Amino acid sequence: MASSNFYLLSVLLIMIASGARATDPSPLQDFCVADKDSPVRVNGLPCKDVKDVKVDDFFLAADLDKPRDTTMSKVKSNVTLINVMKLAGLNTLGISMARIDYAPQGQNPPHTHPRATEILTVLEGSLYVGFVTSNLDNKFFSKLLNKGDVFVFPQGLIHFQFNPSHDKPAVAIAALSSQNPGAITISNAVFGSKPPIADDVLAKAFQVDKKVVDWLQAQFWEDNHN
């Protein structure tokens, strides 16, 4: 009986520990610069040999002080993400960042980051932002942000940013709690999946005619992330 209780307690502690580590695991050494050429496949990226690590593994001339082109995007925004694929030194450190440029009336459309919480700071202009909680409540939290304001989007929740100005651009910097936060843009995923989701399924889910679904699936769903 005692051994059974000990086993159950051990399982419970493992479950609690696993739940507490909801984002990237903590590093067990000073750094683990990503070796992108390694044939080894792990959850993340393997480490480069320490003797081969150079200072430029921790550096990127990203030009984040320069405006990005928003004219080519249908949603009139441009997300410049700096993650582990661009900066190898981020590997295992559990952080990444992005510059987001918004044209007048531009938006970063509703999306989620499956592996990261996001904290966003407005550098120029104003942004209307918001997120929606999970089922069953689906409560909507929104706020108009001005230059210097900060807002947090909890991990995994659908959120967006919109520039309400008709004549002024906006700029924001976001920090994310993962070296590879991922992004799922809702409209792209639902109506632009490859192969497409059956229109019967989407028509029922959105309570619309299948012709509406077919029209939406025929649109060009682009990614505003670079």
Side-chain angles (χ1 to χ4, degrees):
M1 185 68 174
S3 61
S4 176
N5 289 339
F6 176 77
Y7 173 77
L8 290 174
L9 179 60
S10 299
V11 171
L12 179 61
L13 289 173
I14 291 171
M15 290 174 66
I16 292 172
S18 300
R21 197 178 64 212
T23 55
D24 297 357
S26 298
L28 300 177
Q29 54 203 41
D30 287 346
F31 52 78
C32 169
V33 173
D35 184 354
K36 300 175 187 175
D37 298 321
S38 172
V40 177
R41 294 291 174 263
V42 297
N43 182 23
L45 292 166
C47 302
K48 183 187 287 189
D49 193 314
V50 174
K51 70 179 184 335
D52 297 325
V53 173
K54 303 290 190 293
V55 67
D56 282 350
D57 289 320
F58 305 96
F59 169 79
L60 180 67
D63 292 329
L64 291 187
D65 59 320
K66 294 179 171 60
R68 266 37 180 190
D69 183 11
T70 58
T71 61
M72 302 301 291
S73 168
K74 286 186 175 181
V75 295
K76 299 182 179 181
S77 68
N78 189 321
V79 179
T80 304
L81 176 65
I82 309 298
N83 64 4
V84 70
M85 301 311 296
K86 293 184 179 179
L87 185 56
L90 287 175
N91 195 37
T92 75
L93 298 184
I95 193 169
S96 57
M97 68 177 299
R99 172 186 169 122
I100 314 171
D101 290 77
Y102 312 81
Q105 295 285 286
Q107 66 169 291
N108 192 11
H111 63 282
T112 73
H113 300 295
R115 295 179 289 277
T117 290
E118 174 182 349
I119 183 167
L120 178 134
T121 304
V122 179
L123 298 183
E124 296 293 342
S126 298
L127 290 172
Y128 174 61
V129 306
F131 67 86
V132 180
T133 64
S134 56
N135 299 353
L136 295 169
D137 290 340
N138 296 136
K139 187 173 181 179
F140 178 45
F141 291 89
S142 65
K143 187 79 173 176
L144 180 64
L145 306 182
N146 296 306
K147 182 176 179 179
D149 290 343
V150 175
F151 197 83
V152 173
F153 304 105
Q155 179 174 339
L157 298 188
I158 296 173
H159 61 283
F160 69 89
Q161 303 105 36
F162 171 70
N163 178 7
S165 175
H166 289 270
D167 57 1
K168 295 179 182 177
V171 180
I173 288 286
L176 301 111
S177 63
S178 171
Q179 67 180 38
N180 185 26
I184 303 171
T185 303
I186 307 306
S187 54
N188 296 30
V190 173
F191 297 109
S193 65
K194 302 176 182 64
I197 300 172
D199 56 6
D200 288 327
V201 173
L202 295 181
K204 187 71 172 178
F206 287 93
Q207 296 294 292
V208 296
D209 190 275
K210 284 200 294 183
K211 290 181 179 179
V212 175
V213 173
D214 294 340
W215 180 83
L216 286 168
Q217 289 181 321
Q219 305 308 302
F220 176 69
W221 296 101
E222 64 177 17
D223 187 4
N224 65 335
H225 287 63
N226 297 296

